[in-house]
Amino acid sequence: AQKVTQAQTEISVVEKEDVTLDCVYETRDTTYYLFWYKQPPSGELVFLIRRNSFDEQNEISGRYSWNFQKSTSSFNFTITASQVVDSAVYFCALSDGMNTGFQKLVFGTGTRLLVSP
Amino acid sequence: DTGVSQNPRHKITKRGQNVTFRCDPISEHNRLYWYRQTLGQGPEFLTYFQNEAQLEKSRLLSDRFSAERPKGSFSTLEIQRTEQGDSAMYLCASSLDPTGRAYSNQPQHFGDGTRLSIL
């Protein structure tokens, strides 16, 4: 079976602090994709990143960075110098070939990030 | 480049009524997905289409639910005889699978969702 665990329900930080959102996944497949989505109060899920299981290189995009470690089945997301506009619920998701045919996404329960001025 | 569009944004109805939601995907996207999201949870997969063919349905999709994508463009999701437990956000997403082979499927892009409230 496949599963995504986001143990942090809610994180509160003050603007300009760095924050890391944790994601742990389970799958027996060797080929899979991992995703992060942002859901602001407006409700739309905004795609942030997709990584495949064969690419463990960390990625940086502006203030965002992602740390993919297959050894610990984790795909953590760090926001550097957080801003109020980063306040949202962040979801980690998994899609594999064995269980989903790379179609449906299996989401974690999300981490609510509150950034105060 | 227009995104995924869903209508209506909000729907309030009485228990037992039928409701229908519409989703217009990104124009060149051949795959379309429906998810349901309840408060405090992540989205859960309901069903997906490749062009007009409905290829998979979740066990969450009871007989009261039906989805169509008649010409491979927009899709509708209908719920018959609504129940209190149907109250949720219904999300639509679309993606482009350029080769038709699942591994090449591009990331899913979501609409704003339709929030359903059952009185």
Side-chain angles (χ1 to χ4, degrees):
Chain A
Q2 43 173 205
K3 186 179 178 181
V4 175
T5 301
Q6 294 181 256
Q8 304 153 309
T9 305
E10 185 170 307
I11 301 175
S12 294
V13 299
V14 177
E15 212 170 15
K16 297 184 183 177
E17 285 185 19
D18 299 346
V19 58
T20 296
L21 310 180
D22 298 333
C23 173
V24 174
Y25 63 92
E26 294 177 30
T27 176
R28 287 180 293 178
D29 207 345
T30 57
T31 305
Y32 51 89
Y33 287 109
L34 295 164
F35 303 78
W36 276 95
Y37 283 85
K38 173 183 180 180
Q39 189 172 43
S42 58
E44 178 184 358
L45 277 162
V46 178
F47 167 74
L48 297 178
I49 190 172
R50 180 182 77 164
R51 302 306 300 274
N52 74 55
S53 52
F54 299 110
D55 183 1
E56 285 192 74
Q57 279 194 339
N58 292 330
E59 182 158 339
I60 298 175
S61 176
R63 296 184 298 107
Y64 295 169
S65 62
W66 290 270
N67 184 351
F68 177 27
Q69 292 195 340
K70 288 176 76 170
S71 61
T72 56
S73 297
S74 65
F75 186 44
N76 296 337
F77 173 29
T78 297
I79 302 175
T80 303
S82 59
Q83 300 176 1
V84 173
V85 294
D86 296 327
S87 295
V89 180
Y90 291 85
F91 289 98
C92 181
L94 166 71
S95 175
D96 66 17
M98 185 185 296
N99 291 292
T100 76
F102 303 111
Q103 296 308 318
K104 65 183 178 185
L105 298 173
V106 174
F107 286 86
T109 51
T111 297
R112 180 178 300 277
L113 175 65
L114 299 173
V115 183
S116 55
Chain B
D1 182 21
T2 57
V4 177
S5 176
Q6 291 188 247
N7 289 289
R9 288 296 311 276
H10 303 275
K11 180 70 176 178
I12 301 173
T13 191
K14 293 182 179 179
R15 184 166 53 94
Q17 297 295 304
N18 298 343
V19 294
T20 300
F21 312 139
R22 176 178 171 126
C23 172
D24 288 89
I26 294 171
S27 58
E28 67 270 22
H29 284 186
N30 52 355
R31 295 188 186 267
L32 185 147
Y33 308 80
W34 285 98
Y35 291 81
R36 182 172 70 185
Q37 185 179 20
T38 54
L39 202 61
Q41 299 298 315
E44 295 175 291
F45 170 80
L46 293 178
T47 188
Y48 89 92
F49 293 83
Q50 177 172 322
N51 299 313
E52 66 277 5
Q54 187 174 17
L55 296 186
E56 185 176 344
K57 296 192 327 183
S58 162
R59 286 174 294 177
L60 292 175
L61 219 62
S62 74
D63 291 345
R64 297 184 297 105
F65 288 71
S66 62
E68 295 182 344
R69 194 182 183 197
K71 296 182 180 180
S73 56
F74 73 91
S75 174
T76 58
L77 177 67
E78 181 183 15
I79 308 174
Q80 296 181 328
R81 304 181 304 281
T82 52
E83 300 173 356
Q84 292 282 356
D86 297 332
S87 294
M89 175 79 87
Y90 290 84
L91 294 163
C92 177
S94 70
S95 69
L96 175 65
D97 187 346
T99 68
R101 298 174 187 173
Y103 186 72
S104 65
N105 197 19
Q106 298 300 304
Q108 296 177 27
H109 294 271
F110 286 79
D112 289 342
T114 294
R115 184 170 296 282
L116 174 64
S117 297
I118 307 298
L119 301 178

